[in-house]
Each structure stands twice: as C-alpha cells, then as structure tokens.
Amino acid sequence: MRPGPWLKLGSLIPLLWLLSACQGTEWGERLERAVRPVGPPTAQSEPLAPPSPQPSPGSIPPSISAPPAPTPSSPLPSPDSSRFTDLEPGSLVARSVGYLDRLGVFADIPGSEFQPQRSVRRGEFARWLVLANNAIHADEPSRQIRLGSPSERPLFLDVPEEDPHFRYIQALGAAGIIAGDANREFRPNSLLSRAELIRMKVPLDLPPGQIKGSRAELEERWGFTDAAQIPPEAIPALVADRSLENASTVLRTFGPIRTFNPFEPVSRGEAAIALSAFGERTAQDAIPQPPALPDPTPEPQPSPPAAEPEQTASPEPDPNPASPSNAVDEPSAPARPRSSEVAPGEGRIVTPRQTQP
C-alpha cells in the first residue's frame, strides 16, 4: 500500500521544524547540506524574450512593408485655365480670355503671351467679334454671321481679299453691323476706341430693330460727364446697351464709370471681357461640358430569388391497381410458386388412373 499525500506531508513537518530551530548553528548547516539536492550547478537563467506576436490571418507580416496608399490624382485644370502665361490667375481678364480661347476665338495669337495691356486694332477686333458671336450662338443659326468669301467683291477699299481679316470684316459689312467712312475705308490697322467697340458689339447683343436712342436719352440713362463728346453714330448703341442692365457691355467691361472717354483705345484685356458674353449668353456656357463620371459607389445588386424546393415526381398510377375499389368479385386463382420454390414432383398436373374392372 502506497503512502498517501497526507502521510508524506506529516513526515516533512518535523524536518522543517528542525531546520528552522537549528538555523545558524553547525548542526543546522550539516542538516541543510544533507537535505539539499545534489546536482550540477545551473547557469543563471536569462530572462525570456517576450514571444513575438503572430500575425492575424489576412494581415501583412511586419517584415513586409505595406504598399503605399494611393495618392489622389492631380486636379483637373479649371475651366478658365488658358495657355497664356501673362494673365493674372483668377482675374476677370484671365477667365474671359480662357473661355474664349477654348472656343477658338484667339487661335490667331501665337505663343504663350496674350499681352492684355496692348491696344487692339480694328481688324483684329472684327475677327474676334465674328468668331465669338458664332461660337456663343452655335445653337442658334439665325444669330450666326456668315463669313465672307474670297471670291466676293471687297466692301472696303482698304481690306482686299488677301487681308488676313478679310472674311470677318466682309461679313460684318454685309450684315450691316459696320460701315466704311466717306472714302469707303474700314481702317483695319487703326486702334479700336471705346465708342467703336460699343457701336460694333451692341447690335449683336440685341435683336435687330432695338438699336435706337437720342443724346437726351443717353444723358438721362448714363449721365456721362462727357456725353457731349460722344460721336453721334455711337449714341443709339450706348442707349440700347443701358437697357441690358447687368448684361450691359459698358458695365461689364469698364464698370460703373462716370466718364466714358469715347476715343480712348481699348486694350486686349478689355476686348476679351466685352466679347465674353452677348446679352445673356456667355462664353462659359458655350464651352462643351465633359461627360459626367460614373458614381464609384456600386449599385446594390438584387438578391437572387430563393431556390424553390425540388418536388419529387409522384409515382405513376398503376393501370391495374389491386385496390378494393377495383377488385372483381371473382375467385382469385392460387398463386403459382416460382420455379425455385417448386418441390419435386409438383411441376405438372397428375391425373389419377381409373381402376380396371
């Protein structure tokens, strides 16, 4: 019979008491050496390193660097951006030039400088005027100005067929928008003045027949301090332009001025602002818009219909079922045993012989 745990513990208690009592004496040291387990000296154990964390399923191990996060693509250029680098970004001139340049109005200007402070010439402005009008009214055939043909007879003696602006000056003359002087000359290389800009531009802002007005109406509606110096041929256009209110070319181009300065040359920047809108139609609205990008959020797909439980085919009815309803009231013949179950001598019918007398 093996000693139980309580018996072992009971034998150790006196030994522990004896060690405690003899501690510090010669007998205590001898007793401690006697009970100390003998074994090779063990090296001082080093502290165990903490276990390295195991990567969770689907995570990237620490030794493998994670792929860099996708950086957003560079922003698309703003609609008023332009190829000209000498324009102040965000200014009214830069926006007007940018919109018109996208419509092809300034295709004749080479390089990357627009020179907005440079004065514009009459022939140059006539070209831009026709191109801007036709581009902004691209969806209105009745507002289009038909370009002149080189085979036509020149309307102005100083604008021959080989002039680079002939088609546009000829078109404005045929439409009755401009007229030559007493010498039948247009002076395409002369600088464009403020009065001439309004006279050429306003007839395309309003329907025909609405360009009329007197000097008294001019003074009443505008109140220019130099109204007496404005040429008579520019007065009807200035009066009609005031009826456009916020769409007025004078207000859009020069602001709420008190002095008109009719003979002051027009700069290229001012010409671009004036041509950026015709009445309520603006060059910005005429720029074709890019197609809308699809929504990155995927549309929820309809869940597939639940599968219907398979139906087991019902057994075909027996043509001659042995049911009580179809039973015939006739004696049934005894069942014939199978060949494997027929006993010897029972496979045929035996007729008994008759006894001979």
Side-chain angles (χ1 to χ4, degrees):
M1 181 177 180
R2 299 180 59 184
W6 293 104
L7 181 60
K8 293 181 179 181
L9 183 59
S11 61
L12 290 176
I13 291 176
L15 181 60
L16 294 175
W17 178 82
L18 182 60
L19 285 172
S20 177
C22 298
Q23 186 176 7
T25 63
E26 183 181 357
W27 289 99
E29 293 178 359
R30 291 181 179 180
L31 185 59
E32 184 177 357
R33 286 195 298 267
V35 299
R36 180 180 300 170
V38 179
T42 59
Q44 184 177 0
S45 60
E46 298 180 357
L48 299 177
S52 58
Q54 298 295 330
S56 59
S59 62
I60 301 177
S63 59
I64 303 177
S65 59
T71 57
S73 58
S74 58
L76 297 176
S78 58
D80 59 340
S81 61
S82 172
R83 60 185 171 95
F84 301 111
T85 59
D86 57 345
L87 303 176
E88 181 182 356
S91 63
L92 180 59
V93 174
R95 294 198 303 270
S96 301
V97 172
Y99 294 138
L100 292 173
D101 191 37
R102 286 174 177 265
L103 295 175
V105 176
F106 300 132
D108 62 320
I109 301 179
S112 60
E113 292 186 357
F114 183 76
Q115 301 178 354
Q117 302 301 328
R118 172 183 162 185
S119 299
V120 62
R121 301 185 181 277
R122 288 167 55 88
E124 190 177 36
F125 181 77
R127 177 192 185 103
W128 296 349
L129 178 63
V130 174
L131 292 176
N133 175 83
N134 290 354
I136 294 177
H137 292 291
D139 57 342
E140 296 183 76
S142 61
R143 303 294 295 270
Q144 298 287 306
I145 300 177
R146 186 185 63 83
L147 300 182
S149 173
S151 59
E152 297 177 1
R153 180 181 178 183
L155 297 176
F156 306 99
L157 299 179
D158 57 347
V159 186
E161 298 91 333
E162 58 270 14
D163 189 284
H165 307 305
F166 169 79
R167 301 185 64 189
Y168 311 98
I169 298 175
Q170 187 82 358
L172 293 175
I177 297 175
I178 60 175
D181 55 14
N183 299 323
R184 291 181 56 197
E185 294 180 350
F186 178 72
R187 297 176 287 108
N189 295 323
S190 299
L191 299 182
L192 181 74
S193 67
R194 288 188 172 187
E196 292 169 340
L197 180 147
I198 299 301
R199 181 185 176 188
M200 296 171 62
K201 168 71 166 39
V202 173
L204 298 176
D205 289 331
L206 296 168
Q210 298 186 11
I211 310 300
K212 58 181 65 176
S214 61
R215 190 175 298 273
E217 294 176 322
L218 173 67
E219 296 177 354
E220 178 184 357
R221 295 189 180 187
W222 283 109
F224 292 138
T225 58
D226 57 349
Q229 303 175 13
I230 297 177
E233 59 272 13
I235 290 177
L238 281 170
V239 174
D241 182 70
R242 192 66 181 91
S243 65
L244 295 173
E245 298 181 353
N246 293 334
S248 162
T249 299
V250 172
L251 296 178
R252 182 189 297 112
T253 307
F254 308 113
I257 55 177
R258 296 292 298 171
T259 303
F260 183 63
N261 295 323
F263 301 105
E264 181 177 346
V266 177
S267 67
R268 280 186 162 193
E270 292 172 337
I273 297 175
L275 297 175
S276 63
F278 286 80
E280 300 293 340
R281 303 291 296 269
T282 66
Q284 180 180 1
D285 298 335
I287 296 177
Q289 299 297 325
L293 297 177
D295 189 2
T297 305
E299 298 181 358
Q301 299 294 332
S303 57
E308 299 181 357
E310 297 183 359
Q311 298 180 358
T312 57
S314 57
E316 297 181 0
D318 191 356
N320 298 316
S323 59
S325 59
N326 297 333
V328 182
D329 296 338
E330 293 181 359
S332 58
R336 187 177 180 179
R338 290 178 293 180
S339 59
S340 60
E341 297 178 358
V342 177
E346 294 181 359
R348 63 183 181 275
I349 302 176
V350 179
T351 305
R353 292 183 178 180
Q354 295 182 358
T355 304
Q356 297 292 334

